[in-house]
Amino acid sequence: MAQALQLKPLDIYVDPAAKPVDSRLAALLAYWRAKRYGTASLPTRGDIKPGELISHLPSLLIADVRPGEKTPDFSLRLTGTALDDLFGGNHMGRRFDEIMPGKQGWLARAALALCVEHRRPMRFFGRVRFPSDPSTPTMVEALALPLARPDGEVHMILGEIVQLRAAALPSFPELLRSAAE
């Protein structure tokens, strides 16, 4: 398995192998894979049916990919109610760096740009300071899945962010190690 890479100086990691620990994320990844037409293609937004994702809706997001100067920019098209709670309100239409200013927003944008560039799922995990309570880091695992237009251009990211369950913590040695330091 590929080594998770830390997005320093933050306590956030990118897992290029995209193998979720949380069963909810694993189910979303299996759903996304089932919507592809062959191994080289990506699902389109039209392939994703909200009625098939009922249990995921509170923690789902869809972000639009927008051209940027060096890397793409991202704005939120849709967020579930659990994410609205973490982000401190509904931020539809806002860019990531408006919601999470500074290095955290810049790194989130750079990490999602890898998902677009490589046209493949990306998994993230770590301690994140959300706008709802910036003094207390929340331990999360997340998945970003590219969606393409019929011409193949990635224009959206389907994502899910879940809070880590205590029973799952042993599966995250990087987080246990950083908490001990």
Side-chain angles (χ1 to χ4, degrees), residues 50-82:
E52 297 172 344
L53 296 169
I54 296 294
S55 64
H56 297 269
L57 291 178
S59 53
L60 278 185
L61 66 84
I62 295 178
D64 288 317
V65 179
R66 302 184 182 280
E69 288 182 32
K70 294 181 182 176
T71 62
D73 201 355
F74 302 89
S75 62
L76 291 173
R77 174 179 287 262
L78 169 97
T79 55
T81 54

mmCIF file of all heavy atoms in Angstrom, residues 50-82:
data_model
loop_
_atom_site.group_PDB
_atom_site.id
_atom_site.type_symbol
_atom_site.label_atom_id
_atom_site.label_comp_id
_atom_site.label_asym_id
_atom_site.label_seq_id
_atom_site.Cartn_x
_atom_site.Cartn_y
_atom_site.Cartn_z
ATOM 1 N N PRO A 50 -29.074 11.052 -6.578
ATOM 2 C CA PRO A 50 -29.205 11.277 -5.139
ATOM 3 C C PRO A 50 -30.066 10.223 -4.437
ATOM 4 O O PRO A 50 -29.781 9.846 -3.299
ATOM 5 C CB PRO A 50 -29.835 12.668 -5.042
ATOM 6 C CG PRO A 50 -29.413 13.339 -6.310
ATOM 7 C CD PRO A 50 -29.380 12.252 -7.353
ATOM 8 N N GLY A 51 -31.086 9.726 -5.098
ATOM 9 C CA GLY A 51 -31.945 8.706 -4.504
ATOM 10 C C GLY A 51 -31.213 7.413 -4.203
ATOM 11 O O GLY A 51 -31.668 6.613 -3.381
ATOM 12 N N GLU A 52 -30.080 7.195 -4.857
ATOM 13 C CA GLU A 52 -29.271 6.006 -4.609
ATOM 14 C C GLU A 52 -28.245 6.231 -3.493
ATOM 15 O O GLU A 52 -27.518 5.314 -3.130
ATOM 16 C CB GLU A 52 -28.549 5.592 -5.893
ATOM 17 C CG GLU A 52 -29.494 5.206 -7.015
ATOM 18 C CD GLU A 52 -28.804 4.976 -8.355
ATOM 19 O OE1 GLU A 52 -27.632 5.386 -8.529
ATOM 20 O OE2 GLU A 52 -29.445 4.390 -9.230
ATOM 21 N N LEU A 53 -28.197 7.458 -2.990
ATOM 22 C CA LEU A 53 -27.198 7.823 -1.978
ATOM 23 C C LEU A 53 -27.831 8.394 -0.707
ATOM 24 O O LEU A 53 -27.208 9.192 -0.007
ATOM 25 C CB LEU A 53 -26.223 8.846 -2.577
ATOM 26 C CG LEU A 53 -25.370 8.356 -3.728
ATOM 27 C CD1 LEU A 53 -24.651 9.517 -4.408
ATOM 28 C CD2 LEU A 53 -24.378 7.315 -3.247
ATOM 29 N N ILE A 54 -29.042 7.986 -0.414
ATOM 30 C CA ILE A 54 -29.803 8.570 0.704
ATOM 31 C C ILE A 54 -28.992 8.601 2.001
ATOM 32 O O ILE A 54 -28.926 9.625 2.668
ATOM 33 C CB ILE A 54 -31.132 7.812 0.924
ATOM 34 C CG1 ILE A 54 -32.042 7.950 -0.295
ATOM 35 C CG2 ILE A 54 -31.844 8.283 2.184
ATOM 36 C CD1 ILE A 54 -32.551 9.334 -0.573
ATOM 37 N N SER A 55 -28.366 7.494 2.367
ATOM 38 C CA SER A 55 -27.650 7.460 3.646
ATOM 39 C C SER A 55 -26.394 8.331 3.645
ATOM 40 O O SER A 55 -25.881 8.682 4.704
ATOM 41 C CB SER A 55 -27.280 6.020 4.017
ATOM 42 O OG SER A 55 -26.366 5.483 3.075
ATOM 43 N N HIS A 56 -25.906 8.702 2.472
ATOM 44 C CA HIS A 56 -24.704 9.531 2.368
ATOM 45 C C HIS A 56 -25.012 11.035 2.329
ATOM 46 O O HIS A 56 -24.118 11.850 2.569
ATOM 47 C CB HIS A 56 -23.927 9.181 1.087
ATOM 48 C CG HIS A 56 -23.421 7.782 1.044
ATOM 49 N ND1 HIS A 56 -22.181 7.420 1.511
ATOM 50 C CD2 HIS A 56 -23.995 6.638 0.595
ATOM 51 C CE1 HIS A 56 -22.010 6.124 1.349
ATOM 52 N NE2 HIS A 56 -23.092 5.629 0.784
ATOM 53 N N LEU A 57 -26.232 11.397 1.984
ATOM 54 C CA LEU A 57 -26.546 12.800 1.695
ATOM 55 C C LEU A 57 -26.094 13.797 2.756
ATOM 56 O O LEU A 57 -25.562 14.856 2.399
ATOM 57 C CB LEU A 57 -28.041 12.970 1.399
ATOM 58 C CG LEU A 57 -28.507 12.346 0.077
ATOM 59 C CD1 LEU A 57 -30.021 12.533 -0.084
ATOM 60 C CD2 LEU A 57 -27.762 12.913 -1.111
ATOM 61 N N PRO A 58 -26.246 13.534 4.068
ATOM 62 C CA PRO A 58 -25.819 14.539 5.040
ATOM 63 C C PRO A 58 -24.326 14.880 4.981
ATOM 64 O O PRO A 58 -23.935 15.999 5.299
ATOM 65 C CB PRO A 58 -26.170 13.904 6.391
ATOM 66 C CG PRO A 58 -27.258 12.932 6.078
ATOM 67 C CD PRO A 58 -26.926 12.410 4.705
ATOM 68 N N SER A 59 -23.503 13.933 4.550
ATOM 69 C CA SER A 59 -22.053 14.160 4.565
ATOM 70 C C SER A 59 -21.449 14.294 3.168
ATOM 71 O O SER A 59 -20.235 14.279 3.018
ATOM 72 C CB SER A 59 -21.360 13.030 5.340
ATOM 73 O OG SER A 59 -21.742 11.764 4.832
ATOM 74 N N LEU A 60 -22.293 14.456 2.148
ATOM 75 C CA LEU A 60 -21.817 14.604 0.766
ATOM 76 C C LEU A 60 -21.579 16.061 0.412
ATOM 77 O O LEU A 60 -22.201 16.965 0.953
ATOM 78 C CB LEU A 60 -22.847 14.063 -0.230
ATOM 79 C CG LEU A 60 -22.886 12.584 -0.495
ATOM 80 C CD1 LEU A 60 -23.901 12.288 -1.595
ATOM 81 C CD2 LEU A 60 -21.539 12.023 -0.873
ATOM 82 N N LEU A 61 -20.682 16.238 -0.553
ATOM 83 C CA LEU A 61 -20.517 17.543 -1.178
ATOM 84 C C LEU A 61 -20.276 17.338 -2.667
ATOM 85 O O LEU A 61 -19.790 16.294 -3.095
ATOM 86 C CB LEU A 61 -19.369 18.343 -0.550
ATOM 87 C CG LEU A 61 -17.934 17.860 -0.706
ATOM 88 C CD1 LEU A 61 -17.320 18.305 -2.019
ATOM 89 C CD2 LEU A 61 -17.109 18.413 0.436
ATOM 90 N N ILE A 62 -20.660 18.328 -3.431
ATOM 91 C CA ILE A 62 -20.296 18.393 -4.846
ATOM 92 C C ILE A 62 -19.646 19.752 -5.042
ATOM 93 O O ILE A 62 -20.199 20.787 -4.649
ATOM 94 C CB ILE A 62 -21.507 18.228 -5.779
ATOM 95 C CG1 ILE A 62 -22.098 16.825 -5.630
ATOM 96 C CG2 ILE A 62 -21.099 18.484 -7.231
ATOM 97 C CD1 ILE A 62 -23.327 16.558 -6.479
ATOM 98 N N ALA A 63 -18.455 19.725 -5.606
ATOM 99 C CA ALA A 63 -17.713 20.970 -5.873
ATOM 100 C C ALA A 63 -17.526 21.127 -7.371
ATOM 101 O O ALA A 63 -17.219 20.159 -8.074
ATOM 102 C CB ALA A 63 -16.357 20.929 -5.165
ATOM 103 N N ASP A 64 -17.722 22.337 -7.842
ATOM 104 C CA ASP A 64 -17.435 22.668 -9.240
ATOM 105 C C ASP A 64 -15.949 22.930 -9.384
ATOM 106 O O ASP A 64 -15.338 23.566 -8.521
ATOM 107 C CB ASP A 64 -18.201 23.925 -9.676
ATOM 108 C CG ASP A 64 -19.685 23.680 -9.824
ATOM 109 O OD1 ASP A 64 -20.058 22.625 -10.381
ATOM 110 O OD2 ASP A 64 -20.472 24.548 -9.389
ATOM 111 N N VAL A 65 -15.377 22.454 -10.472
ATOM 112 C CA VAL A 65 -13.973 22.712 -10.802
ATOM 113 C C VAL A 65 -13.950 23.931 -11.711
ATOM 114 O O VAL A 65 -14.614 23.955 -12.741
ATOM 115 C CB VAL A 65 -13.335 21.498 -11.514
ATOM 116 C CG1 VAL A 65 -11.882 21.793 -11.873
ATOM 117 C CG2 VAL A 65 -13.444 20.253 -10.660
ATOM 118 N N ARG A 66 -13.191 24.938 -11.329
ATOM 119 C CA ARG A 66 -13.090 26.173 -12.114
ATOM 120 C C ARG A 66 -11.623 26.419 -12.475
ATOM 121 O O ARG A 66 -10.742 26.163 -11.663
ATOM 122 C CB ARG A 66 -13.625 27.351 -11.316
ATOM 123 C CG ARG A 66 -15.063 27.167 -10.886
ATOM 124 C CD ARG A 66 -15.570 28.405 -10.178
ATOM 125 N NE ARG A 66 -16.919 28.236 -9.710
ATOM 126 C CZ ARG A 66 -18.008 28.357 -10.469
ATOM 127 N NH1 ARG A 66 -17.892 28.640 -11.728
ATOM 128 N NH2 ARG A 66 -19.198 28.189 -9.950
ATOM 129 N N PRO A 67 -11.377 26.901 -13.677
ATOM 130 C CA PRO A 67 -9.980 27.190 -14.043
ATOM 131 C C PRO A 67 -9.370 28.201 -13.075
ATOM 132 O O PRO A 67 -10.026 29.135 -12.633
ATOM 133 C CB PRO A 67 -10.083 27.791 -15.444
ATOM 134 C CG PRO A 67 -11.437 27.413 -15.943
ATOM 135 C CD PRO A 67 -12.310 27.247 -14.735
ATOM 136 N N GLY A 68 -8.110 27.978 -12.730
ATOM 137 C CA GLY A 68 -7.376 28.896 -11.871
ATOM 138 C C GLY A 68 -6.086 29.300 -12.560
ATOM 139 O O GLY A 68 -5.782 28.829 -13.650
ATOM 140 N N GLU A 69 -5.317 30.173 -11.913
ATOM 141 C CA GLU A 69 -4.066 30.639 -12.520
ATOM 142 C C GLU A 69 -3.086 29.491 -12.730
ATOM 143 O O GLU A 69 -2.589 29.290 -13.825
ATOM 144 C CB GLU A 69 -3.440 31.724 -11.650
ATOM 145 C CG GLU A 69 -4.187 33.037 -11.710
ATOM 146 C CD GLU A 69 -3.509 34.097 -10.873
ATOM 147 O OE1 GLU A 69 -2.269 34.077 -10.749
ATOM 148 O OE2 GLU A 69 -4.231 34.951 -10.339
ATOM 149 N N LYS A 70 -2.778 28.741 -11.673
ATOM 150 C CA LYS A 70 -1.839 27.620 -11.780
ATOM 151 C C LYS A 70 -2.537 26.286 -11.580
ATOM 152 O O LYS A 70 -2.187 25.311 -12.223
ATOM 153 C CB LYS A 70 -0.711 27.773 -10.764
ATOM 154 C CG LYS A 70 0.182 28.961 -11.041
ATOM 155 C CD LYS A 70 1.297 29.055 -10.038
ATOM 156 C CE LYS A 70 2.142 30.290 -10.338
ATOM 157 N NZ LYS A 70 3.183 30.480 -9.347
ATOM 158 N N THR A 71 -3.457 26.239 -10.645
ATOM 159 C CA THR A 71 -4.223 25.022 -10.384
ATOM 160 C C THR A 71 -5.708 25.371 -10.421
ATOM 161 O O THR A 71 -6.071 26.539 -10.280
ATOM 162 C CB THR A 71 -3.884 24.416 -9.004
ATOM 163 O OG1 THR A 71 -4.233 25.363 -8.001
ATOM 164 C CG2 THR A 71 -2.420 24.041 -8.897
ATOM 165 N N PRO A 72 -6.564 24.366 -10.585
ATOM 166 C CA PRO A 72 -8.004 24.661 -10.584
ATOM 167 C C PRO A 72 -8.453 25.259 -9.260
ATOM 168 O O PRO A 72 -7.821 25.070 -8.229
ATOM 169 C CB PRO A 72 -8.651 23.294 -10.800
ATOM 170 C CG PRO A 72 -7.583 22.378 -11.237
ATOM 171 C CD PRO A 72 -6.288 22.955 -10.779
ATOM 172 N N ASP A 73 -9.547 25.953 -9.315
ATOM 173 C CA ASP A 73 -10.206 26.471 -8.130
ATOM 174 C C ASP A 73 -11.478 25.645 -7.944
ATOM 175 O O ASP A 73 -11.930 24.980 -8.878
ATOM 176 C CB ASP A 73 -10.538 27.954 -8.326
ATOM 177 C CG ASP A 73 -10.748 28.677 -7.014
ATOM 178 O OD1 ASP A 73 -10.736 28.023 -5.951
ATOM 179 O OD2 ASP A 73 -10.938 29.901 -7.047
ATOM 180 N N PHE A 74 -12.055 25.678 -6.776
ATOM 181 C CA PHE A 74 -13.219 24.861 -6.483
ATOM 182 C C PHE A 74 -14.243 25.683 -5.722
ATOM 183 O O PHE A 74 -13.895 26.435 -4.819
ATOM 184 C CB PHE A 74 -12.816 23.644 -5.630
ATOM 185 C CG PHE A 74 -11.784 22.795 -6.298
ATOM 186 C CD1 PHE A 74 -10.433 23.047 -6.110
ATOM 187 C CD2 PHE A 74 -12.157 21.772 -7.142
ATOM 188 C CE1 PHE A 74 -9.470 22.288 -6.744
ATOM 189 C CE2 PHE A 74 -11.204 21.004 -7.792
ATOM 190 C CZ PHE A 74 -9.858 21.263 -7.590
ATOM 191 N N SER A 75 -15.503 25.532 -6.104
ATOM 192 C CA SER A 75 -16.588 26.169 -5.355
ATOM 193 C C SER A 75 -17.636 25.111 -5.040
ATOM 194 O O SER A 75 -17.837 24.157 -5.797
ATOM 195 C CB SER A 75 -17.198 27.327 -6.135
ATOM 196 O OG SER A 75 -17.762 26.873 -7.344
ATOM 197 N N LEU A 76 -18.287 25.285 -3.914
ATOM 198 C CA LEU A 76 -19.260 24.302 -3.454
ATOM 199 C C LEU A 76 -20.581 24.472 -4.185
ATOM 200 O O LEU A 76 -21.161 25.549 -4.196
ATOM 201 C CB LEU A 76 -19.470 24.423 -1.949
ATOM 202 C CG LEU A 76 -18.280 23.992 -1.106
ATOM 203 C CD1 LEU A 76 -18.522 24.296 0.365
ATOM 204 C CD2 LEU A 76 -18.003 22.512 -1.299
ATOM 205 N N ARG A 77 -21.032 23.412 -4.802
ATOM 206 C CA ARG A 77 -22.334 23.381 -5.468
ATOM 207 C C ARG A 77 -23.396 22.861 -4.507
ATOM 208 O O ARG A 77 -24.535 23.306 -4.506
ATOM 209 C CB ARG A 77 -22.265 22.502 -6.707
ATOM 210 C CG ARG A 77 -23.601 22.293 -7.389
ATOM 211 C CD ARG A 77 -23.453 21.432 -8.611
ATOM 212 N NE ARG A 77 -22.825 22.159 -9.681
ATOM 213 C CZ ARG A 77 -23.477 22.738 -10.677
ATOM 214 N NH1 ARG A 77 -24.778 22.646 -10.754
ATOM 215 N NH2 ARG A 77 -22.836 23.394 -11.606
ATOM 216 N N LEU A 78 -23.004 21.878 -3.683
ATOM 217 C CA LEU A 78 -23.946 21.231 -2.778
ATOM 218 C C LEU A 78 -23.195 20.726 -1.557
ATOM 219 O O LEU A 78 -22.086 20.194 -1.690
ATOM 220 C CB LEU A 78 -24.585 20.026 -3.490
ATOM 221 C CG LEU A 78 -25.396 19.089 -2.608
ATOM 222 C CD1 LEU A 78 -26.862 19.452 -2.704
ATOM 223 C CD2 LEU A 78 -25.172 17.654 -3.022
ATOM 224 N N THR A 79 -23.785 20.910 -0.381
ATOM 225 C CA THR A 79 -23.235 20.306 0.839
ATOM 226 C C THR A 79 -24.390 19.742 1.650
ATOM 227 O O THR A 79 -25.468 20.342 1.722
ATOM 228 C CB THR A 79 -22.463 21.317 1.715
ATOM 229 O OG1 THR A 79 -23.310 22.425 2.016
ATOM 230 C CG2 THR A 79 -21.202 21.792 1.044
ATOM 231 N N GLY A 80 -24.149 18.599 2.268
ATOM 232 C CA GLY A 80 -25.142 17.997 3.147
ATOM 233 C C GLY A 80 -25.208 18.718 4.474
ATOM 234 O O GLY A 80 -24.327 19.504 4.831
ATOM 235 N N THR A 81 -26.242 18.419 5.233
ATOM 236 C CA THR A 81 -26.479 19.123 6.496
ATOM 237 C C THR A 81 -25.377 18.869 7.525
ATOM 238 O O THR A 81 -25.030 19.786 8.286
ATOM 239 C CB THR A 81 -27.838 18.715 7.089
ATOM 240 O OG1 THR A 81 -27.887 17.281 7.194
ATOM 241 C CG2 THR A 81 -28.984 19.202 6.209
ATOM 242 N N ALA A 82 -24.799 17.677 7.564
ATOM 243 C CA ALA A 82 -23.710 17.408 8.508
ATOM 244 C C ALA A 82 -22.489 18.255 8.165
ATOM 245 O O ALA A 82 -21.786 18.732 9.063
ATOM 246 C CB ALA A 82 -23.344 15.919 8.512
#
